[in-house]
Amino acid sequence: MWGKLSWAAIPFDQPIPLIASGVVGGVIIGVLALITLKGWLPYLWREWITSVDHKRIGIMYILLAMVMLLRGFTDAIMMRSQQALAFRSQGYLPPEHYDQIFSAHGTLMIFFVAMPFVIGLMNFVVPLQLGIRDVAFPTLNSVGFWLTATGALLVNISLLVGEFARTGWLPYPPLSELTYSPGVGVDYYLWSLEISGVGTLLAGINLITTVLKLHAPGMTYMRMPMFCWTTLASNLLIVAAFPILTATLTMLVLDRYLGFHFFTNEAGGNMMMFVNLIWVWGHPEVYILILPAFGVFSEVVSTFSNKPLFGYRSMVAATMVICILSFTVWLHHFFTMGAGADVNAIFGIASMIIAVPTGVKIFNWLFTMYGGRIVYSTPLLWSIGFMVTFVIGGMTGVLLAVPPADFVLHNSLFLVAHFHNVIIGGVLFGAFAGYTYWFPKAFGFRLHEGLGKASFWCWITGFYVAFMPLYVLGLMGMTRRMQHYDVAAWHPWLLIAAGGAAIIFIGIILQIAQLVVSIRRREQLRDETGDPWNGRSLEWATPSPPPAFNFAVLPRIESGDAYWGMKERALQQARLSEEPAYAEIEMPRNSPTGFICAFFATIMGFALIWHIWWMVGLVALGAYATFVVFAWRDVDEYIIPADTVARIDRANRSARSAALARRQVVP
């Protein structure tokens, strides 16, 4: 009746997962008890869980990413400490547990930290920058988020019930085939990514449609902020690449569940087909993550240099060139497979060419800063730290694009160092820059600058201490995924790397402290006007936090840096523009569709993993019934009265008028 599920699935003989699960379970129970006792549940259900507001969905994406960052970083600490202790010994992690940890670390960090973080920033910011009220498909947006959360939940359930994959963050056959991985670990991986991949695809379709079709009057494509362009490029890649991932994992599901032979060489399949397909998705995935970060850096550098972005059109061109070229380089991930010198040379050259538009962006940011009135705020520090770190990572990437060098360094810790150099120094620093930059817009008060800067210095110092030794170890011949080792020369470098991870941990503690202190001092850090940074794009024209409708009246755009132009006119005229004629606004009604979809998807995913077929059928029936009920809703919008719109906008205009008057006073 319960398929493969039995009491043997609980790891009673392994104290680490049991203790970790107990702590996580205790925290969850404690949070739920607090919510219930305080009477917050109706508010959370009404305003957050069922919300279709792009801003709240964006915040929930980012919250999911930050929680999963803590889990993924815990895995990283365990790996680094295991390798620091495992010189001529077994350390404290058994091999089968260590294998699950490094698989879970990569899976969580890519799919459930980096992806939700950048999608959350895009969700929150893009409609505000375009001067519109919401994304194209608000309910679909909610469904996409909750399906992503379902995937993250399934990965974490594997900590206590069953096991996770021992294959690495990409489940290469034949190791992932049933013969060599007969447990449910690979199945947890497959179903969590199949479900969350659908959520990501829905987000991609939604954001592409929003950027291409919904603009404020006068907001032409060449007047869009750079973050909107990088959002468009990133989501074009999502729509093109994620179906490939879904199809590839589906073929592996068929191999494991129904005895197909897509990837079994001895039965007519080809395991290298999996490697080709997974990297046809996998290399565009790198740019899916980094392009939104490039957009964040463009906004931050321009704002804190008090200058328009240098070379806007060349930045747009570079972004779209990266979007296209990212599909031409996937084979550099496996130069050693034996494709031949000609194929390797073509992909090596393409891998070097794609560095050119990236270099264009670096120079554009530097020229934007050149001659500007620079304010060294926390978001700008993350951006400058990125430029230095990413250039180093990019140079090591060009080195790995040379096939003979790759033959020497393939599968070594040099590759691990390069990958983290790009993803941490690029994506994560970009996410932190965006989080710090747009936090006051989301919550109405700024984050504490001192703690933010302290956290930045711990992160960047810890990063170099943790990952530069891995370049050395890679050149010394240490391969990745090693649970223990006997080479004495490696041990000091691994001890240094573990120290770097500890410094990063201090940086994370400081980020948590920054959030707590900022909440406690929120009245001192209050953003009264909605424009705490003297910003240039339209999101800063709204109150902080923005109302559900974003703009009382959709702005009319006459140039790039639209809000900067509005402020310049107000300064010249020494007053704000005339008060608009307010009208009632129609907005989409909240819907529990996304949450209910996630509820059924979680149970179905768990049932498929454990082969509980009657539960799969029952949940499928419930999901179909839900679809029928919500497809026939009669009322899916509500009206915000004109007097409510006027009250909110007048309060913001009053704060902005006061700020303008203060700027007019001659010292």
Side-chain angles (χ1 to χ4, degrees):
M1 180 178 180
W2 296 104
K4 293 182 175 182
L5 188 60
S6 70
W7 285 110
I10 310 294
F12 291 112
D13 59 332
Q14 297 184 35
I16 293 175
L18 279 180
I19 293 169
S21 301
V23 170
V24 171
V27 170
I28 292 171
I29 291 169
V31 170
L32 291 176
L34 179 66
I35 289 169
T36 305
L37 292 172
K38 291 281 190 179
W40 294 340
L41 190 57
Y43 167 78
L44 288 174
W45 175 261
R46 184 178 65 253
E47 298 295 335
W48 290 91
I49 294 172
T50 63
S51 178
V52 298
D53 184 338
H54 71 95
K55 299 178 289 297
R56 295 199 164 171
I57 291 172
I59 291 167
M60 288 192 290
Y61 266 115
I62 293 168
L63 182 60
L64 172 67
M66 295 177 88
V67 171
M68 290 301 104
L69 175 62
L70 293 176
R71 162 70 208 278
F73 184 74
T74 302
D75 290 341
I77 286 283
M78 293 174 74
M79 285 190 289
R80 290 274 73 86
S81 58
Q82 164 68 17
Q83 289 191 327
L85 296 171
F87 173 55
R88 292 176 182 164
S89 75
Q90 287 297 312
Y92 69 97
L93 289 174
E96 64 277 3
H97 191 190
Y98 180 80
D99 292 350
Q100 292 179 56
I101 285 172
F102 73 66
S103 301
H105 170 73
T107 305
L108 285 167
M109 288 300 201
I110 294 297
F111 293 102
F112 301 113
V113 175
M115 286 296 294
F117 221 137
V118 297
I119 291 174
L121 290 173
M122 292 187 288
N123 246 300
F124 182 86
V125 175
V126 165
L128 291 169
Q129 289 195 334
L130 292 174
I132 57 177
R133 306 218 185 276
D134 211 323
V135 293
F137 310 114
T139 304
L140 204 66
N141 202 18
S142 173
V143 173
F145 165 72
W146 285 108
L147 290 179
T148 301
T150 292
L153 179 60
L154 286 173
V155 173
N156 284 283
I157 287 173
S158 72
L159 183 69
L160 179 63
V161 185
E163 61 179 4
F164 194 64
R166 303 175 189 175
T167 54
W169 78 281
L170 290 178
Y172 282 8
L175 183 56
S176 57
E177 294 283 358
L178 207 55
T179 304
Y180 300 100
S181 294
V184 295
V186 174
D187 301 324
Y188 266 112
Y189 176 96
L190 291 170
W191 290 113
S192 64
L193 294 197
E194 292 278 37
I195 293 167
S196 64
V198 173
T200 302
L201 184 60
L202 293 179
I205 293 167
N206 210 344
L207 287 163
I208 287 174
T209 310
T210 301
V211 174
L212 291 180
K213 303 300 289 183
L214 301 181
H215 294 195
M219 177 67 80
T220 62
Y221 289 133
M222 295 311 292
R223 290 176 180 172
M224 292 194 307
M226 185 51 58
F227 187 69
C228 295
W229 275 105
T230 58
T231 295
L232 175 62
S234 175
N235 286 282
L236 286 170
L237 290 174
I238 285 175
V239 170
F242 262 79
I244 300 172
L245 174 68
T246 302
T248 306
L249 297 183
T250 299
M251 286 190 273
L252 186 54
V253 166
L254 292 171
D255 276 13
R256 289 180 60 84
Y257 279 70
L258 297 177
F260 282 41
H261 300 290
F262 287 108
F263 307 126
T264 48
N265 285 9
E266 65 274 12
N270 185 348
M271 68 178 72
M272 286 312 303
M273 181 169 70
F274 180 92
V275 180
N276 266 288
L277 288 172
I278 207 74
W279 284 113
V280 170
W281 159 81
H283 199 83
E285 168 68 6
V286 175
Y287 294 98
I288 288 169
L289 297 176
I290 200 67
L291 283 170
F294 287 169
V296 171
F297 297 129
S298 299
E299 304 297 327
V300 168
V301 167
S302 176
T303 296
F304 292 106
S305 299
N306 286 286
K307 280 178 62 182
L309 188 65
F310 179 89
Y312 172 84
R313 290 177 180 270
S314 66
M315 287 283 270
V316 172
T319 299
M320 301 317 290
V321 166
I322 289 172
C323 182
I324 294 166
L325 288 180
S326 66
F327 273 104
T328 68
V329 299
W330 80 87
L331 198 119
H332 71 217
H333 289 273
F334 47 103
F335 276 145
T336 56
M337 95 172 172
D342 293 342
V343 173
N344 283 358
I346 290 168
F347 280 88
I349 292 167
S351 301
M352 297 176 198
I353 290 172
I354 203 170
V356 175
T358 307
V360 168
K361 288 176 175 290
I362 296 286
F363 281 111
N364 282 5
W365 293 318
L366 292 174
F367 284 129
T368 301
M369 295 175 68
Y370 180 75
R373 298 190 305 278
I374 299 174
V375 178
Y376 288 100
S377 65
T378 306
L380 188 65
L381 288 182
W382 286 114
S383 304
I384 295 170
F386 149 78
M387 285 186 234
V388 176
T389 307
F390 190 80
V391 165
I392 295 170
M395 289 190 295
T396 59
V398 173
L399 173 63
L400 289 168
V402 180
D406 187 78
F407 269 71
V408 175
L409 298 169
H410 180 76
N411 213 34
S412 73
L413 284 184
F414 189 96
L415 179 63
V416 174
H418 158 70
F419 183 76
H420 285 81
N421 210 156
V422 174
I423 296 298
I424 293 179
V427 179
L428 205 54
F429 282 14
F432 290 155
Y435 159 73
T436 313
Y437 181 59
W438 283 304
F439 186 93
K441 179 54 57 182
F443 295 104
F445 60 94
R446 288 173 286 111
L447 288 167
H448 190 279
E449 275 286 298
L451 286 169
K453 289 177 179 177
S455 171
F456 162 75
W457 287 112
C458 285
W459 261 97
I460 196 163
T461 304
F463 168 80
Y464 279 100
V465 175
F467 289 99
M468 293 303 114
L470 302 194
Y471 283 119
V472 178
L473 287 163
L475 291 168
M476 292 170 71
M478 184 175 180
T479 57
R480 55 185 176 170
R481 308 189 185 104
M482 295 188 73
Q483 186 259 349
H484 65 279
Y485 55 95
D486 298 324
V487 181
W490 296 350
H491 192 215
W493 295 103
L494 288 165
L495 289 172
I496 295 169
I503 298 171
I504 293 175
F505 179 66
I506 296 170
I508 292 175
I509 295 296
L510 286 170
Q511 284 176 305
I512 296 169
Q514 178 194 34
L515 186 58
V516 172
V517 170
S518 302
I519 292 171
R520 287 184 172 179
R521 299 184 184 177
R522 58 187 177 277
E523 292 306 322
Q524 301 168 29
L525 298 167
R526 182 70 60 191
D527 171 22
E528 299 289 350
T529 65
D531 184 21
W533 309 121
N534 195 22
R536 310 182 72 86
S537 46
L538 280 178
E539 72 268 32
W540 307 111
T542 65
S544 295
F549 49 81
N550 291 347
F551 298 91
V553 176
L554 295 185
R556 183 164 294 279
I557 311 305
E558 298 176 1
S559 64
D561 285 347
Y563 182 50
W564 189 262
M566 295 176 188
K567 288 194 291 187
E568 289 294 303
R569 285 193 296 275
L571 283 168
Q572 290 169 8
Q573 299 169 7
R575 62 180 177 82
L576 298 183
S577 59
E578 295 296 327
E579 184 178 284
Y582 298 109
E584 63 182 27
I585 297 174
E586 198 175 71
M587 292 299 295
R589 187 178 296 277
N590 286 353
S591 168
T593 306
F595 184 78
I596 294 172
C597 283
F599 173 78
F600 286 126
T602 302
I603 297 174
M604 181 178 281
F606 188 81
L608 286 165
I609 289 162
W610 290 100
H611 296 202
I612 310 171
W613 302 117
W614 62 267
M615 190 181 289
V616 173
L618 194 63
V619 172
L621 187 63
Y624 179 73
T626 303
F627 163 74
V628 171
V629 169
F630 287 103
W632 293 96
R633 281 195 305 170
D634 292 328
V635 181
D636 54 7
E637 291 173 334
Y638 71 102
I639 302 296
I640 300 175
D643 57 347
T644 302
V645 175
R647 175 174 51 78
I648 294 170
D649 192 54
R650 283 169 182 157
N652 184 242
R653 286 176 61 87
S654 174
R656 290 174 189 267
S657 293
L660 181 62
R662 288 193 295 272
R663 291 187 65 175
Q664 297 296 327
V665 174
V666 179

